[in-house]
Amino acid sequence: MRLAPARSRRPLVVRTLNNALLIHPRAAADHRAQLFARGLAPDEQHTLVVLDLPAGPGPCLLESVARILERRRGTFRLVPGRGSRTQIAELAQWLADRLDRAVLAPDGNQLAAAGGALFIPAGNGRGWLRYQPGRPAPRPDSQRFPKPGWEFLVPDAPVPIGPVGVAEPIPGGVWLRPADDSGLDIPRQVLADRIVADPDLVAVVLGVPGRPPLPLTDIAAFWHTLASGGRRCMLFVPYGPVDVPAGTPPGQALAELFDHEVVMTNGFPAVGDAGAVPEVHTLGADGRLGWQPYAGALAYAPRRVAPVAHRARSPLPGLPSLGRGVYRYAPDAVVEIVQSGLWVRPHQEPPDADAVRAVPAHPDHAAVLFDESTPTLATRLRALAHELLERLPLAERLRSVVLPAGYAVRAGHRPGAGALALTPAPAPAPALSAPALETSALPAPVTTGDAPRAALPRRVPGAGRHPGRRGDAEAARPTGQEGEAGAGPGEGVTGATAATATATAAAVGTDTDSAPDTASAAHPGPVDPAAPSESSRPSPALRIRLESAPSMAPAAPAVEAEGAKESPNDVSAPIPAVPADPAVPADPAAPADPAGPVGPGVRVQPVPVPGARIALAPDQDLDRERGWLRRAGGARYEEAAGFVSRVLSQTPGLRGASKEASKTALNDLAAVRLYLTAGPSEQVDDAVRGATVGPHVPLARCVAAGLRRLPSYRGVALLRATLGEAELAWYEEAARRGGPVTEWGFCGALTTVRPGLPGDTDILVWSLTARRTVLMQPEPPDRVIFLPGTAFKVLRVTAGAERRAVLLRELSEPELATAAGGPEQDSGLDDLAIAGLESADETVRTAADEGPGRRAQPLPEPFTTAFTNPPGLILPTRPPGSGVPPEPDSRAEESQP
C-alpha cells in the first residue's frame, strides 16, 4: 500500500489582528509587523491588509496572496512592509487585475500618526492611489488613512496664507504657522503623534511654541478661503502664540474677526483612538501638557461675553444633567462646567456668572470654584466645593484647587495663584447642622523651609461628609482661623498641593481601589444633606491600612533651619487615625542622624518613621502592598505587567525559582515600570523624601523591591543640582565630620556625561549598588537609581568660582554596622574612589570642549530634571534666575501626556 504524498504547505499565513489582516511567511512572523498591524485604525470602506513580505515577491508568493484575498469580499487597502514605489505599484495593479477588484496602495513613505492613522505628506509621494482592474493609470484617493470627509478643505502641500503665515497639512488637519521652517521637526512630530484625525472636524492648529505670534490677519485669510459649509467643520487648536489684543482670548478675537461662531479646544488634544473624541489637556507656555479640562472645547460667539462649554464631561458619574455643562449636585446647588474647571453655585445664576465663565484655565491646576455672591449661601457652597473635591478621582484631585469664584475673577484670571496656600476646609452652614461625627486625628507634620511645601494628603473637615455637621465646624477652625466666605488665596485647599501622596493613584491611573480593606468613598448620586451617605467615610486615598506595613504615624518633621520662620500657609488639616498594624523592625544598617549640623536655608531629608519608611529589609513581607497595586493599577498595571512578562521571558535571571517567586518578581518589576513611565514620579519622590505617610507608600515599597531585582552598577554616577552656599557648606561639614549622608528617596543618576543638565553643581558618586533601569524603561539607557536608605560619605567638595563639585562614595552595609558613631574610616576605599571620581570629574569638565562629532547627546527634555536631587537634601523651589540654566529650545517643542 502506498501512502498518498502530503499536501504542500502554503508558503504564507494570514492572521486577523484587530482591524487588519497580516499576511506573512509561514516560517516566521516579525513581532514589529504584528505590533504595527494591531495598532492600525479601522477602515470602514476597505479590507485593510498588511503585507510582511520580501521586496518584489515572486510569482509563487503573489499567487498565494491572491488566493488568500479572493475569499474576502469587497475592495482592499494594502500596507506593504517593504518595496520601492515601483514594486508596490506593480503589486497593487497585479492584485487588482487578478482579483478583479479595486486595490488601494500607498505611493510614498507613510508617516504613522495618532490613533493608528497613516499620512503621506506631499513631499513624500502622491498619497494613496486607487488601482482599478484593467486600468494601468491609478488615480489619487487621499493623503490620509482613514480618509476623512474634510480632506478637500485643506491644502495638500504647504501654501502661504499671508505675509507671515503658512498653512501646512498635518495628519489631523492643517497647521497655521509662521513661514520660517527651520527647527520644526519636533513640533511637526508632536502634532502627528497627538492630534487624532476626526472624521468630521478639521483640527486647525495655531502657532508654534517659542516662535513669533501668528497674525490674526493670516488666520482670517485662511478662513476666507473656506466655503460657508466648510467653516462649520473647523476646530481650532491653540499651540503657539497668536497676536491678539491684550486681555482678549484667541477664540473670542477670532469670533469677532470672522463675525461667526468659533469652536476652540480648551487645551491641546492628547493621544486617543481613531474616531473617538480625543482627550484635551491644558497647554503651558513651553508646550507642556497639563490637566484635562472638564470642557474639552469652548464655543465663542461675536459680542458674547463668555464662551460656552462644548464637549463637557461630568465630573462624577450619575449626576443628573440640567443642560449643557450643568449638573444637579444637591437640592440647593448645581455644578457647572466652566473653562477653568468646576463652579458650585445656586440653581439661579449669580449676577457675575459671565465673569466666572470667562476665567481661563490655568495650565497647572483645575479650579473648583464656589459662588460667594450671596452671603447666606457662601459658607454652604464652600463646604460643597470641598466635598466635591474629595469625591473627584484621585488623579484629578491631585491637580485641583478650591477657590472663591470672586477671587478667581479678581486674581488676574489665574485661579492657580493660590494653589500653594494650605488652609483647613471651611465650617459648614449652621442651618444644616446635624449630630456631631467624632473623628480622632493625628497631629499634622511640621513644614519648614525656604518655600511653602505641600503637606500630607489630609482629610479635609467637612469634605466627603454631609455639610452642616458641628464636628466638622470644630475640626475645621483652628485658633484664630475664621471661616468666613470670601477668603483670599489662602482658600486654596488642593488635592494638588495638600495631597502629594495621591500622586500614587495618578501613577497607576485609577481611583476605585485605593487600599486593602477599604471601600470607595465615591458615590454616584447627588448629595442630599439630610440623608446619611457613603460620603461620610474618609476618602479612599487617605485610608490605607496595610497589615504588612506599620501603623500610620505622623511624619518626622523636616529639619528646621535656625532662625527660619514657619510659613503661615503651612497649615494642614488632621488625618484620621487608623488601627495600629504590626511594626516593621528597624533596619540596623540605616543611619539615624544627618551628617552634621544644619545651617540656615538647608533642609535635610528627615528620617522616616516606620509608617513612611520605604527602605525595608529585603525579606519583609509585602503581600498586602502587592495586592493593592494589582487592584488599584487597573489597565495601566496590566500594561506594565505585560511589558515585564516579555522582559522576563528574555531575561530568565530576573525570575524566581518557584511559581510564586516569579509572580512576586512580576509584580515588583511592574511597579518599577509604572514608576518610570506612567505617573507623576516627581510627586512620589517628593513625598518619599519628605518622610510623609500616605498612599504613595505601598507603591514606593513595591518599586524599591523591584529595583533590588535589577542589575547593579559599580562605578561613577553623575547628577547635577542647584545648591546654595548653605547647602554646599553642609556637604563641606559632612566631609569634615565623616558622618553618613543618607538618601531616603529614589535618587536618579547617569553613568555617562550628558550636556545641558540643569544646575550649577556636579555631584559625582562612586556607586556600589545603584540599579540599572534600562530593562524596564529603555530611555534613557544610562540611568541608574540608588535605593532609599542608601548612605554616602562625602569625600571632597569643590566650591570655586568656576567649578562646583561634590564627590561622594556609597557606603556598604558592613561599614555602617561597624560602629554606632559613624562609618569606619577606610582610607584605602576612599583613595580608590577618589581616584575614579577625579578622573570622571576631569571628563565632565572637558566634555563641553569636545567637538560636535564626539559630544554626547543631551537628554530628552522630559528627563532633564530627573537627575537634579542631591542625596540627603530637599531643595526648595528656585525662583527664576537662581542659577538654573534655561531649558533647551526643545522644551517648547516637546510635550508630555
Side-chain angles (χ1 to χ4, degrees):
M1 178 178 177
R2 298 179 60 187
L3 295 176
R7 295 181 61 185
S8 60
R9 302 180 67 185
R10 292 179 178 175
L12 299 180
V13 174
V14 59
R15 298 187 183 186
T16 301
L17 301 176
N18 292 342
N19 303 310
L21 300 179
L22 173 62
I23 300 178
H24 63 85
R26 179 178 294 275
D30 190 334
H31 73 280
R32 293 172 298 180
Q34 296 182 53
L35 291 175
F36 174 78
R38 284 193 178 98
L40 289 176
D43 192 329
E44 303 296 339
Q45 300 175 338
H46 314 283
T47 299
L48 188 59
V49 182
V50 178
L51 298 178
D52 182 22
L53 303 176
C60 180
L61 290 181
L62 289 177
E63 185 61 30
S64 182
V65 171
R67 290 180 179 178
I68 291 173
L69 296 181
E70 66 184 358
R71 297 191 296 268
R72 310 275 176 170
R73 296 181 178 179
T75 55
F76 301 96
R77 183 186 295 270
L78 301 183
V79 186
R82 300 173 184 85
S84 65
R85 294 167 65 176
T86 301
Q87 291 172 328
I88 293 173
E90 292 174 351
L91 168 63
Q93 188 62 58
W94 185 88
L95 283 175
D97 295 337
R98 169 66 173 78
L99 301 174
D100 196 27
R101 279 179 267 180
V103 173
L104 276 71
D107 178 76
N109 295 329
Q110 306 165 70
L111 173 66
L118 298 174
F119 176 63
I120 303 177
N124 289 6
R126 299 170 61 192
W128 292 90
L129 304 181
R130 177 181 291 270
Y131 295 84
Q132 298 282 4
R135 298 180 184 176
R139 60 181 178 87
D141 184 78
S142 66
Q143 280 186 295
R144 297 164 178 85
F145 158 74
K147 181 181 179 180
W150 45 259
E151 195 168 46
F152 69 95
L153 294 174
V154 300
D156 55 8
V159 295
I161 54 175
V164 175
V166 167
E168 176 182 334
I170 58 174
V174 63
W175 183 17
L176 308 186
R177 58 169 178 83
D180 184 8
D181 197 51
S182 60
L184 294 182
D185 290 343
I186 293 179
R188 192 174 283 119
Q189 188 63 48
V190 167
L191 298 180
D193 290 343
R194 297 198 176 279
I195 296 185
V196 179
D198 188 290
D200 302 315
L201 295 177
V202 185
V204 183
V205 181
L206 303 178
V208 185
R211 295 295 179 92
L214 184 67
L216 284 176
T217 53
D218 287 16
I219 304 175
F222 170 77
W223 176 267
H224 292 305
T225 63
L226 303 171
S228 58
R231 293 174 181 176
R232 293 192 296 268
C233 302
M234 300 295 117
L235 177 64
F236 289 89
V237 179
Y239 187 42
V242 177
D243 189 10
V244 298
T248 304
Q252 189 63 44
L254 293 177
E256 301 291 349
L257 181 65
F258 302 158
D259 197 24
H260 192 283
E261 184 178 74
V262 167
V263 178
M264 178 173 286
T265 60
N266 192 19
F268 196 73
V271 177
D273 296 329
V277 176
E279 292 184 358
V280 172
H281 290 253
T282 56
L283 188 68
D286 59 358
R288 286 194 175 191
L289 296 183
W291 59 283
Q292 182 184 357
Y294 299 95
L298 302 168
Y300 298 86
R303 295 167 293 283
R304 189 164 62 196
V305 177
V308 176
H310 199 65
R311 294 186 175 184
R313 61 183 178 91
S314 174
L316 296 173
L319 293 181
S321 176
L322 302 178
R324 177 184 286 187
V326 181
Y327 302 88
R328 181 180 182 271
Y329 185 71
D332 56 347
V334 300
V335 175
E336 180 176 344
I337 306 300
V338 293
Q339 59 176 315
S340 62
L342 303 172
W343 182 25
V344 181
R345 63 169 177 84
H347 284 267
Q348 185 175 1
E349 287 191 6
D352 61 344
D354 284 339
V356 177
R357 296 183 182 116
V359 175
H362 190 282
D364 298 325
H365 303 293
V368 182
L369 306 175
F370 63 89
D371 179 64
E372 53 178 340
S373 59
T374 306
T376 57
L377 296 177
T379 305
R380 159 71 171 162
L381 296 175
R382 179 166 57 169
L384 288 178
H386 282 279
E387 181 186 81
L388 177 61
L389 173 69
E390 286 292 295
R391 295 179 61 191
L392 293 177
L394 296 178
E396 297 179 10
R397 190 188 316 168
L398 179 70
R399 286 186 156 182
S400 298
V401 52
V402 175
L403 289 173
Y407 170 74
V409 174
R410 294 189 301 270
H413 288 182
R414 275 293 176 251
L420 291 180
L422 305 181
T423 63
L432 300 174
S433 61
L437 181 63
E438 297 297 331
T439 303
S440 59
L442 295 174
V446 178
T447 305
T448 61
D450 296 337
R453 184 166 177 81
L456 268 176
R458 293 303 180 191
R459 181 74 163 82
V460 180
R465 304 183 189 172
H466 293 300
R469 309 259 173 128
R470 290 191 182 91
D472 290 349
E474 271 68 42
R477 194 172 294 161
T479 303
Q481 177 80 21
E482 294 298 324
E484 298 299 323
E491 182 62 43
V493 180
T494 77
T497 57
T500 302
T502 55
T504 305
V508 296
T510 184
D511 64 291
T512 57
D513 192 2
S514 62
D517 302 332
T518 301
S520 173
H523 47 93
V527 178
D528 184 350
S533 169
E534 290 294 321
S535 62
S536 61
R537 300 179 182 177
S539 167
L542 311 181
R543 295 183 291 116
I544 285 189
R545 179 181 183 274
L546 303 172
E547 293 185 359
S548 58
S551 60
M552 298 282 282
V559 180
E560 182 176 357
E562 183 179 352
K565 296 182 180 180
E566 182 174 350
S567 169
N569 290 331
D570 288 341
V571 183
S572 59
I575 186 171
V578 296
D581 299 305
V584 176
D587 185 359
D593 298 318
V598 180
V602 178
R603 295 189 63 204
V604 178
Q605 295 177 17
V607 179
V609 296
R613 177 166 290 180
I614 309 303
L616 303 179
D619 57 351
Q620 174 68 37
D621 180 18
L622 296 178
D623 288 343
R624 299 285 290 173
E625 284 87 345
R626 293 178 179 120
W628 170 82
L629 179 62
R630 287 193 296 271
R631 292 191 299 275
R636 288 196 173 185
Y637 173 82
E638 295 299 331
E639 180 181 357
F643 176 91
V644 172
S645 296
R646 294 190 292 272
V647 173
L648 292 178
S649 66
Q650 300 167 3
T651 316
L654 296 178
R655 298 199 303 260
S658 64
K659 182 178 180 179
E660 186 63 28
S662 297
K663 181 180 178 182
T664 299
L666 175 65
N667 193 105
D668 294 345
L669 293 173
V672 176
R673 172 72 176 173
L674 282 172
Y675 170 78
L676 295 175
T677 63
S681 59
E682 292 181 359
Q683 287 101 329
V684 176
D685 289 343
D686 290 345
V688 172
R689 290 190 185 94
T692 58
V693 182
H696 64 280
V697 173
L699 172 64
R701 288 177 174 173
C702 292
V703 172
L707 287 173
R708 290 192 192 99
R709 300 176 182 274
L710 296 177
S712 62
Y713 169 75
R714 183 182 293 263
V716 178
L718 168 70
L719 58 143
R720 188 172 173 85
T722 301
L723 299 182
E725 295 299 328
E727 291 149 336
L728 208 60
W730 182 80
Y731 276 116
E732 291 177 334
E733 180 65 15
R736 186 182 67 83
R737 289 172 172 262
V741 169
T742 306
E743 171 61 42
W744 293 108
F746 300 99
C747 183
L750 297 165
T751 60
T752 60
V753 179
R754 296 277 199 156
L757 291 179
D760 58 11
T761 306
D762 291 315
I763 301 177
L764 292 91
V765 186
W766 186 261
S767 166
L768 298 177
T769 63
R771 305 296 167 160
R772 300 178 183 268
T773 62
V774 66
L775 289 175
M776 295 296 101
Q777 168 66 335
E779 288 293 334
D782 49 345
R783 171 169 49 189
V784 295
I785 295 179
F786 292 93
L787 290 167
T790 303
F792 306 90
K793 181 180 180 180
V794 183
L795 301 178
R796 182 177 299 172
V797 177
T798 302
E802 299 179 358
R803 174 71 175 161
R804 292 158 62 100
V806 178
L807 307 186
L808 306 176
R809 175 172 71 86
E810 183 182 349
L811 298 173
S812 63
E813 291 187 7
E815 289 182 279
L816 292 173
T818 52
E824 184 182 46
Q825 303 299 321
D826 190 327
S827 60
L829 292 177
D830 289 351
D831 293 341
L832 179 65
I834 287 176
L837 292 171
E838 287 180 339
S839 176
D841 189 34
E842 180 66 19
T843 302
V844 173
R845 283 187 293 163
T846 59
D849 299 328
E850 295 284 350
R854 299 181 57 189
R855 186 177 301 168
Q857 292 296 318
L859 281 172
E861 190 277 335
F863 302 105
T864 54
T865 59
F867 310 100
T868 58
N869 297 296
L873 294 179
I874 299 176
L875 294 183
T877 303
R878 302 288 184 186
S882 60
V884 180
E887 296 289 344
D889 290 342
S890 62
R891 181 182 180 96
E893 301 168 348
E894 185 79 26
S895 54
Q896 280 292 315

